Amino acid sequence: MFRSHTCGELRLSHVGSTVTLSGWVAKVRLMGSMAFVDLRDRYGMTQLSFNEAYSAEMLAKAGELGREYVIQVTGSVAERESKNAGLTTGDIELVVESLVVLNQAKTPPFTIENDTDGGDDIRMQYRYLDLRRDPVRANLELRHHLAQKIRNYLSDQQFLEVETPVLIKSTPEGARDFVVPSRMNPGQWYALPQSPQTFKQLLMVSGFDRYFQIVKCFRDEDLRADRQPEFTQIDCEMSFVEREDILQMFEGLAKHLFSAVKGVEFDAFPRMTYADAMRLYGCDKPDIRFDMQFVELKSPEAERDLVSGKDFVVFDSVDSVIGICAKGAGNYTRKQLDGLTDFVKRPQIGAKGLVWCRIEADGSAKSSVDKFYDAEALKSWKEAFGAEAGDLILLLAGDLHKTRKQLNELRLLMGSELGLRDPFNYKPLWVLDFPLLEHDEESGRWHAMHHPFTSPLPQDIELMHSDPGAVRADAYDLVINGVEIGGGSIRIFDRALQSRMFDLLGFSKEEAQAQFGFLMNAFEYGAPPHGGLAFGFDRLCSLFGGSESIRDYIAFPKNNSGRDVMIDAPSAIDAKQLKELGF
Amino acid sequence: MFRSHTCGELRLSHVGSTVTLSGWVAKVRLMGSMAFVDLRDRYGMTQLSFNEAYSAEMLAKAGELGREYVIQVTGSVAERESKNAGLTTGDIELVVESLVVLNQAKTPPFTIENDTDGGDDIRMQYRYLDLRRDPVRANLELRHHLAQKIRNYLSDQQFLEVETPVLIKSTPEGARDFVVPSRMNPGQWYALPQSPQTFKQLLMVSGFDRYFQIVKCFRDEDLRADRQPEFTQIDCEMSFVEREDILQMFEGLAKHLFSAVKGVEFDAFPRMTYADAMRLYGCDKPDIRFDMQFVELKSPEAERDLVSGKDFVVFDSVDSVIGICAKGAGNYTRKQLDGLTDFVKRPQIGAKGLVWCRIEADGSAKSSVDKFYDAEALKSWKEAFGAEAGDLILLLAGDLHKTRKQLNELRLLMGSELGLRDPFNYKPLWVLDFPLLEHDEESGRWHAMHHPFTSPLPQDIELMHSDPGAVRADAYDLVINGVEIGGGSIRIFDRALQSRMFDLLGFSKEEAQAQFGFLMNAFEYGAPPHGGLAFGFDRLCSLFGGSESIRDYIAFPKNNSGRDVMIDAPSAIDAKQLKELGF
């Protein structure tokens, strides 16, 4: 028996008893005739005490311990003279009577402490040591607890977790697949799933009624920061449902998780159409922790034009001038304003410039384009924004869609600068009525905005031929704090409609049959109305943890080149194995 | 809203209320002025009633329904005249007031009934229809419930479920890996994990203390019946444990599952050494639902020889004669005995012949080798076996190890023939003290019987140099009803011992470093004593379901060529994709 208790377990009630602990040496303090060792395991930290008067032999052994040695100690629990309220075991210490070094340890390349001295790269290479640090392990404990709560909640709601296959068939639609050569079927390949989409729809055809799975998915994309080639989804599907049923069910799940894990309660989640999200926030995942909605001084969609005809060529020559009002930012210095201009002019954002207008204490407006716009004009701006003394109006100009995108970035920056984006202030939002299709300039083809099984809104079906771009999807995203946590749709369950969709997407009958034939065939045998959604589990964990990085919530993440630097994968493989595969 | 209730929900208490159901048409019975339709969903079956007197329109609609049509009906719940006790909803029926066909269905290629008329191949091709059958869906419901219970039990025991990566590094040790070319790292490959073995050991180094994961694993093996290229393990690891801690923990889990799911309670599971299992049952996973232990009349390990020196060349020339006593099988006919002889002479078994000896009602023995063995000799056999009147002794002869293997097959056949292998009579057994190494004749090398991280029994470490084949591993298998459900070991946590192990396995320092360097390096930073095991989850499900086939418990299994015939995978992939991968 290696231990009678864990390092987080002993209390005053144990004083006087003899116990055995095992763990890692976190700290050794040698003080001449005495020594203290902090012994750590997953459950906590216990102070070990050594005293020359009690045992010179043990004291000598303590002196030989190094950081991260694995030891086993037996001794009696004693009340501490100076208690440590910051430690659950801070009332007691263990007076060591015997000590066994179970394993020595080289000095770690960084300190195993909450605030480590290790940089990102070294901590990734020694991930097994980084995982020894409390905050990193706490992230994975959170992940475990969230998964447990999700599974139990959905099980209670009659969902069945069904494992779908990992070795499936490649489909050119969507992102790039990872593929696996089949040795037994030369020249043929499996693909790793980007999602279990078709399988969960087949399970609905099978009458499973309510399905979920917490499941690894794979995308061979050029990795951006915080994208992983393998990621985990909470994948769900329900039969005999309309959109409202699904929103209710998963809003219920989200509320349950927030309540159980964070102690936060919510009223009904607000809802917003995609069109409004784009108009008011310039993006389909608005961060509504703060207001700062867009105001259009001029745009193809606006009924007014408050900027044209004043000889300001920049505003005259564009179709849109859109702005935000940053409450209380009127005190921004010239340098800060120049900083904002530099920000929007960065190539990633691509604005040509920034116009500002400050509302002074007396209510008058001062703008960077004063020479074109008189007090009267600026007053009309002020009113349009509902701006007050001390506010700062920021305007971008250009093409409607690009300007919205750029202004979204500026809005988020202002939100951050003004301290309006507290990670623990959770603001969920359903975004609805996405476009069904988006037009790809390059190929001249329509692409499914979500995937080819997404149903159009019933009232928009007739537009599929006349105006495909105007067709709205029966789709929904759950956005929390500006992050898309999950999304899904009501599916097409009618084979004729599915065929029309494939036609629209430019699939030939043969292509559609070759790639999705098994699903389309299945739909001929009695497919129920169904729909579902998928949450990004890595993202959900980071949201609950209050972090922006999903990597912190993955035990063994890969870097931006898709490498696991700890195990050094991918890597070369045996020539023999290549030959067996026919290469 | 598609339904107010499910098809399994309505009872007498609902009589008089108006409800809406949705589901599949299981059966239509047209009876002139009346009709009955069985409506099915996952939760049950409800009888819909149509009557000309009530609504001629509805009756007409019922007449147009086909099998597996998806319909929605609204009507009032009525008490049935003739109740069906075999159905949970058998007290009521729904008098239909409106009916909507949500989706038509082609006639399925086989009947969607408990006893279907579909053969294996057609059911695999239309797996989504096969899954619609109650017994198949019940298998996957069982799987869901088992997974839930396992997760909750282990969570309660402080285990954390940690997801380990799927895209890892190939290792030539063990079975063949599936590999995945990396587009971003040309010429390099990921491998899919055969198990998360090294990752779970790293998590122990990280201090996670108790880890589990229900996880997909992959092996590119030539598939035997009932092997799948992807399969699911319950993978577990614990720190600061000895073998006994692990046996107790997972015996507890198994007992919990049997109690919760099957209502079966157990005393402590019996234990047996590998050596005894081989000696008494000829295999390392004995089916102890029945006794019929081996008796050695002659063997290199036996102290006696009850067969040699009687001029029976077959028995004289071999090193071993081993048998079983089949209780009550003394009435086997000549034809049945010939059948047994044919069975053991099949090439898969490979025995040269079979000697039988029947104990007659008067206690005398009658044998197929009477002309060599007199009554006295046969009496000594009878006593060796403890055989009684009506029993049948069956003897095989040859090399010790081969004979044991052959006799194991014969014993299992006799167990089946005598009805001693009830699938719901669960008999668990721990098998302990496996050999650490096995010698590969072909390469002349030692191989790890489990894997290279398995610890030898402490008392056998000194044999590693002098007699590697005699070293026993600190390993254990859980065997239930002759099926290996799980297995594991205490791991080597000492780097020096691990190096010795790699030496024994013929790894050069460079090979060991290249393949397991990250694990061996990790062990230098304070590895705790640890061990674990993995259960085959597919197998566990089939055991609980009373089936021999794991395929029945996998939603979308592959066939013996590793093909998914439903989605037709693996398959050719786009030339463009191949080119991107550098092929």
Side-chain angles (χ1 to χ4, degrees):
Chain A
M1 191 204 59
F2 279 102
R3 63 187 174 196
S4 61
H5 296 76
T6 70
C7 295
E9 204 173 346
L10 298 174
R11 299 286 183 276
L12 276 179
S13 61
H14 295 94
V15 166
S17 48
T18 296
V19 302
T20 300
L21 301 181
S22 290
W24 285 263
V25 172
K27 199 178 273 180
V28 180
R29 278 162 294 158
L30 302 175
M31 308 162 75
S33 63
M34 298 165 63
F36 295 99
V37 170
D38 287 342
L39 189 68
R40 187 195 64 230
D41 67 12
R42 182 184 122 199
Y43 311 96
M45 185 100 80
T46 300
Q47 177 168 296
L48 311 179
S49 141
F50 301 80
N51 195 312
E52 192 170 39
Y54 187 75
S55 167
E57 185 200 347
M58 286 301 121
L59 182 66
K61 279 199 175 182
E64 288 164 14
L65 295 177
R67 271 205 285 145
E68 303 304 319
Y69 274 39
V70 184
I71 63 171
Q72 181 188 37
V73 289
T74 298
S76 64
V77 182
E79 183 169 358
R80 274 209 217 180
E81 283 184 24
S82 58
K83 301 196 168 53
N84 180 348
L87 212 61
T88 54
T89 63
D91 287 346
I92 58 90
E93 62 187 6
L94 192 70
V95 182
V96 174
E97 289 158 15
S98 77
L99 186 159
V100 179
V101 173
L102 297 171
N103 222 338
Q104 298 191 331
K106 290 208 302 199
T107 305
F110 51 86
T111 55
I112 312 294
E113 289 170 5
N114 290 7
D115 290 313
T116 179
D117 57 0
D120 277 358
D121 289 348
I122 193 93
R123 287 191 291 115
M124 274 307 173
Q125 195 188 332
Y126 293 88
R127 180 67 171 171
Y128 47 86
L129 294 180
D130 201 30
L131 287 170
R132 215 180 263 176
R133 297 192 306 118
D134 283 344
V136 184
R137 202 194 48 244
N139 289 346
L140 293 166
E141 288 179 344
L142 171 66
R143 187 178 177 111
H144 165 77
H145 291 304
L146 276 172
Q148 276 292 107
K149 284 187 196 311
I150 291 162
R151 284 196 162 96
N152 287 334
Y153 184 89
L154 292 175
S155 291
D156 288 347
Q157 299 287 336
Q158 307 257 39
F159 282 79
L160 295 173
E161 183 160 21
V162 179
E163 294 173 58
T164 54
V166 176
L167 296 171
I168 66 165
K169 186 182 170 119
S170 188
T171 57
E173 193 70 2
R176 205 181 279 108
D177 287 326
F178 282 105
V179 291
V180 182
S182 166
R183 183 180 53 87
M184 306 229 300
N185 304 274
Q188 300 192 333
W189 301 71
Y190 300 101
L192 305 183
Q194 296 181 33
S195 90
Q197 184 64 33
T198 48
F199 289 97
K200 69 177 176 176
Q201 294 195 246
L202 288 173
L203 287 172
M204 294 304 104
V205 174
S206 300
F208 271 61
D209 207 76
R210 295 183 169 191
Y211 144 91
F212 83 102
Q213 189 181 190
I214 299 185
V215 60
K216 275 279 175 78
C217 300
F218 307 86
R219 274 183 210 158
D220 184 12
E221 288 177 299
D222 298 316
L223 300 170
R224 301 198 303 257
D226 226 30
R227 282 263 188 137
Q228 291 280 315
E230 54 179 297
F231 55 98
T232 304
Q233 289 201 341
I234 310 164
D235 192 50
C236 306
E237 197 80 2
M238 302 171 76
S239 288
F240 301 114
V241 289
E242 292 158 340
R243 182 168 80 183
E244 190 59 31
D245 300 301
I246 294 191
L247 300 191
Q248 291 299 338
M249 175 61 71
F250 293 100
E251 188 167 318
L253 171 62
K255 284 177 178 172
H256 171 73
L257 295 177
F258 275 111
S259 175
V261 177
K262 310 295 293 183
V264 180
E265 307 295 333
F266 288 98
D267 294 331
F269 291 179
R271 299 177 182 191
M272 188 182 294
T273 64
Y274 171 86
D276 280 347
M278 296 308 289
R279 186 171 57 80
L280 297 172
Y281 299 95
C283 84
D284 61 0
K285 38 179 196 279
D287 183 347
I288 60 166
R289 278 174 297 186
F290 62 107
D291 201 18
M292 214 184 284
Q293 292 183 346
F294 292 6
V295 171
E296 299 178 354
L297 298 186
K298 169 185 178 180
S299 94
E301 294 180 4
E303 285 172 9
R304 66 182 171 204
D305 180 346
L306 299 177
V307 295
S308 299
K310 305 283 185 175
D311 294 333
F312 184 43
V313 182
V314 174
F315 281 6
D316 283 347
S317 63
V318 297
D319 72 0
S320 300
V321 177
I322 318 175
I324 51 175
C325 172
K327 288 275 164 206
N331 58 356
Y332 262 47
T333 63
R334 188 67 201 214
K335 197 176 161 199
Q336 284 176 298
L337 292 167
D338 288 346
L340 296 180
T341 305
D342 291 344
F343 174 80
V344 297
K345 287 168 88 172
R346 289 162 60 193
Q348 305 96 301
I349 302 203
K352 293 260 161 57
L354 172 72
V355 167
W356 54 262
C357 173
R358 182 166 65 210
I359 313 301
E360 308 288 358
D362 63 2
S364 67
K366 167 100 190 85
S367 164
S368 58
V369 288
D370 278 350
K371 68 173 140 173
F372 301 104
Y373 298 92
D374 58 16
E376 189 63 21
L378 296 184
K379 190 167 167 243
S380 75
W381 295 4
K382 179 186 160 192
E383 280 165 5
F385 280 96
E388 296 169 329
D391 291 353
L392 177 68
I393 294 168
L394 299 169
L395 299 173
L396 296 180
D399 162 77
L400 176 66
H401 296 291
K402 281 186 187 157
T403 304
R404 281 177 172 173
K405 228 169 139 180
Q406 294 158 358
L407 192 58
N408 167 51
E409 300 290 345
L410 181 62
R411 176 181 175 272
L412 294 176
L413 177 73
M414 291 308 296
S416 296
E417 289 200 355
L418 297 174
L420 304 172
R421 304 178 71 191
D422 172 4
F424 294 108
N425 173 29
Y426 296 105
K427 292 294 175 195
L429 172 73
W430 287 109
V431 179
L432 308 174
D433 299 347
F434 285 80
L436 183 68
L437 304 162
E438 55 190 350
H439 202 259
D440 183 51
E441 308 285 322
E442 207 178 309
S443 63
R445 276 177 51 186
W446 291 103
H447 283 279
M449 187 132 164
H450 281 73
H451 53 64
F453 312 113
T454 303
S455 175
L457 282 180
Q459 62 266 40
D460 288 2
I461 290 180
E462 57 185 34
L463 295 173
M464 284 177 78
H465 286 298
S466 57
D467 187 3
V471 178
R472 290 165 299 170
D474 209 351
Y476 31 79
D477 274 1
L478 179 59
V479 174
I480 305 183
N481 294 2
V483 175
E484 184 203 322
I485 291 300
S489 64
I490 296 297
R491 323 300 183 186
I492 298 171
F493 71 104
D494 177 68
R495 204 191 187 218
L497 185 57
Q498 187 70 65
S499 284
R500 260 166 87 181
M501 183 71 176
F502 281 134
D503 285 348
L504 254 181
L505 298 176
F507 279 78
S508 72
K509 289 260 177 296
E510 294 68 32
E511 282 169 340
Q513 188 60 36
Q515 284 168 41
F516 301 107
F518 58 97
L519 187 62
M520 292 169 74
N521 292 343
F523 279 7
E524 300 205 66
Y525 291 98
H530 62 289
L533 92 181
F535 290 102
F537 186 50
D538 307 300
R539 181 65 62 201
L540 190 75
C541 293
S542 71
L543 182 86
F544 271 75
S547 161
E548 301 230 321
S549 163
I550 62 170
R551 216 173 276 185
D552 297 343
Y553 294 81
I554 296 172
F556 300 101
K558 293 186 173 60
N559 72 10
N560 281 350
S561 318
R563 290 203 76 78
D564 183 328
V565 294
M566 180 188 72
I567 63 171
D568 189 29
S571 59
I573 59 172
D574 241 28
K576 180 170 161 243
Q577 193 170 4
L578 280 176
K579 202 177 158 200
E580 281 186 332
L581 292 170
F583 296 114
Chain B
M1 192 202 61
F2 279 102
R3 62 188 174 197
S4 61
H5 295 76
T6 71
C7 295
E9 203 173 346
L10 298 174
R11 300 287 183 275
L12 276 180
S13 61
H14 295 94
V15 166
S17 49
T18 297
V19 302
T20 301
L21 300 181
S22 289
W24 285 262
V25 171
K27 199 177 273 180
V28 180
R29 278 161 295 159
L30 301 174
M31 309 163 74
S33 63
M34 296 166 62
F36 295 99
V37 170
D38 288 341
L39 189 67
R40 187 195 63 229
D41 67 11
R42 184 184 121 198
Y43 311 96
M45 185 100 81
T46 300
Q47 178 168 293
L48 311 179
S49 143
F50 301 81
N51 196 313
E52 192 170 38
Y54 186 77
S55 168
E57 184 200 347
M58 287 301 121
L59 182 65
K61 279 198 175 182
E64 289 164 15
L65 296 177
R67 269 206 287 144
E68 303 305 319
Y69 273 39
V70 184
I71 64 171
Q72 181 187 35
V73 290
T74 299
S76 64
V77 183
E79 183 167 0
R80 276 210 216 180
E81 282 185 24
S82 59
K83 299 196 169 51
N84 180 347
L87 213 59
T88 53
T89 63
D91 287 346
I92 58 90
E93 63 187 5
L94 191 70
V95 181
V96 175
E97 290 157 13
S98 78
L99 187 159
V100 179
V101 174
L102 297 171
N103 223 339
Q104 297 192 332
K106 291 207 302 199
T107 305
F110 50 88
T111 55
I112 311 294
E113 288 171 4
N114 289 6
D115 290 314
T116 180
D117 56 1
D120 278 356
D121 290 347
I122 192 93
R123 288 192 292 113
M124 273 307 173
Q125 194 186 334
Y126 294 88
R127 181 66 170 171
Y128 48 87
L129 294 178
D130 201 30
L131 287 170
R132 216 180 262 176
R133 298 192 306 118
D134 283 344
V136 183
R137 201 193 49 244
N139 290 346
L140 293 167
E141 287 178 345
L142 172 66
R143 187 179 176 109
H144 165 77
H145 291 303
L146 277 171
Q148 274 293 107
K149 284 187 197 311
I150 290 163
R151 284 197 163 96
N152 287 334
Y153 185 88
L154 291 175
S155 291
D156 288 347
Q157 300 287 335
Q158 308 258 38
F159 283 79
L160 295 173
E161 184 160 21
V162 179
E163 294 173 57
T164 54
V166 176
L167 297 171
I168 64 164
K169 186 181 170 124
S170 187
T171 56
E173 193 68 3
R176 206 182 280 106
D177 288 324
F178 282 105
V179 290
V180 181
S182 167
R183 181 180 54 85
M184 306 230 296
N185 304 273
Q188 301 193 330
W189 301 71
Y190 300 101
L192 305 183
Q194 296 181 33
S195 90
Q197 184 64 34
T198 48
F199 288 97
K200 69 176 175 176
Q201 294 195 247
L202 288 174
L203 286 172
M204 295 303 106
V205 174
S206 300
F208 273 60
D209 208 78
R210 293 182 170 193
Y211 145 92
F212 84 102
Q213 190 182 188
I214 300 186
V215 60
K216 274 279 174 75
C217 300
F218 307 86
R219 273 182 211 161
D220 184 13
E221 288 177 299
D222 298 318
L223 300 169
R224 300 199 301 257
D226 228 29
R227 281 263 188 141
Q228 290 281 315
E230 53 180 298
F231 54 98
T232 304
Q233 289 201 343
I234 310 165
D235 192 49
C236 306
E237 197 80 4
M238 303 171 75
S239 287
F240 300 114
V241 288
E242 291 158 340
R243 181 167 81 184
E244 190 60 32
D245 300 302
I246 294 190
L247 299 190
Q248 290 299 337
M249 174 62 69
F250 294 100
E251 188 167 317
L253 170 63
K255 285 177 177 171
H256 170 74
L257 294 177
F258 275 112
S259 175
V261 178
K262 309 296 291 183
V264 180
E265 308 295 334
F266 287 98
D267 294 331
F269 291 0
R271 300 177 182 190
M272 188 182 292
T273 64
Y274 171 86
D276 279 349
M278 296 309 289
R279 185 172 57 81
L280 297 171
Y281 298 96
C283 84
D284 59 0
K285 39 179 195 277
D287 184 347
I288 60 166
R289 279 174 295 187
F290 62 107
D291 202 16
M292 214 185 280
Q293 291 184 347
F294 291 7
V295 171
E296 297 177 356
L297 297 186
K298 169 185 178 180
S299 95
E301 295 179 2
E303 284 173 10
R304 64 187 173 203
D305 180 347
L306 299 178
V307 296
S308 300
K310 305 284 185 175
D311 293 336
F312 184 45
V313 181
V314 174
F315 282 4
D316 283 348
S317 64
V318 297
D319 71 1
S320 300
V321 176
I322 319 177
I324 51 175
C325 173
K327 287 274 161 207
N331 58 357
Y332 262 47
T333 64
R334 188 67 200 212
K335 196 174 161 201
Q336 284 176 299
L337 291 168
D338 288 346
L340 296 180
T341 304
D342 291 345
F343 174 80
V344 298
K345 287 169 88 172
R346 290 162 58 191
Q348 306 95 298
I349 301 198
K352 295 261 161 58
L354 174 71
V355 168
W356 56 262
C357 173
R358 184 165 63 211
I359 312 302
E360 308 286 1
D362 64 0
S364 68
K366 166 98 190 85
S367 163
S368 58
V369 288
D370 278 351
K371 68 171 135 168
F372 301 104
Y373 297 94
D374 57 16
E376 190 63 23
L378 295 183
K379 189 166 168 244
S380 74
W381 296 5
K382 178 185 160 193
E383 281 166 5
F385 280 96
E388 296 170 327
D391 292 351
L392 176 68
I393 294 168
L394 299 168
L395 297 174
L396 295 181
D399 160 78
L400 177 65
H401 296 292
K402 282 185 187 159
T403 305
R404 282 176 173 174
K405 226 168 141 180
Q406 294 158 358
L407 191 57
N408 167 51
E409 301 290 344
L410 181 61
R411 175 180 175 273
L412 293 176
L413 177 73
M414 291 308 296
S416 296
E417 290 200 354
L418 297 174
L420 304 172
R421 303 179 73 192
D422 172 4
F424 295 106
N425 173 27
Y426 296 105
K427 292 293 177 198
L429 172 73
W430 286 110
V431 179
L432 307 174
D433 299 347
F434 285 81
L436 183 68
L437 304 162
E438 55 190 352
H439 202 257
D440 182 52
E441 308 284 324
E442 207 177 308
S443 65
R445 276 177 50 186
W446 291 103
H447 283 279
M449 187 133 165
H450 280 74
H451 52 65
F453 313 111
T454 303
S455 176
L457 282 179
Q459 62 269 37
D460 287 4
I461 289 180
E462 59 185 33
L463 294 173
M464 284 177 78
H465 285 297
S466 57
D467 188 3
V471 179
R472 290 166 300 169
D474 208 350
Y476 31 81
D477 274 2
L478 179 59
V479 173
I480 305 182
N481 294 3
V483 175
E484 183 202 323
I485 291 299
S489 64
I490 296 296
R491 322 301 182 187
I492 299 172
F493 70 104
D494 176 68
R495 205 190 185 218
L497 185 57
Q498 187 69 63
S499 285
R500 258 166 90 180
M501 184 70 176
F502 282 132
D503 285 348
L504 253 180
L505 299 175
F507 279 80
S508 72
K509 289 263 178 292
E510 292 68 30
E511 282 169 338
Q513 187 61 33
Q515 284 168 42
F516 302 107
F518 57 98
L519 187 62
M520 292 168 73
N521 291 342
F523 279 7
E524 300 205 65
Y525 291 97
H530 62 287
L533 93 180
F535 290 103
F537 186 50
D538 307 301
R539 182 64 62 202
L540 189 74
C541 292
S542 72
L543 181 86
F544 272 75
S547 163
E548 301 229 324
S549 164
I550 62 169
R551 215 173 279 186
D552 297 344
Y553 295 81
I554 296 172
F556 300 101
K558 294 187 172 57
N559 72 10
N560 281 350
S561 318
R563 291 202 75 79
D564 183 328
V565 295
M566 179 188 74
I567 62 171
D568 189 29
S571 60
I573 58 171
D574 241 29
K576 181 170 158 245
Q577 192 170 5
L578 281 176
K579 202 177 157 202
E580 281 186 331
L581 293 170
F583 297 114

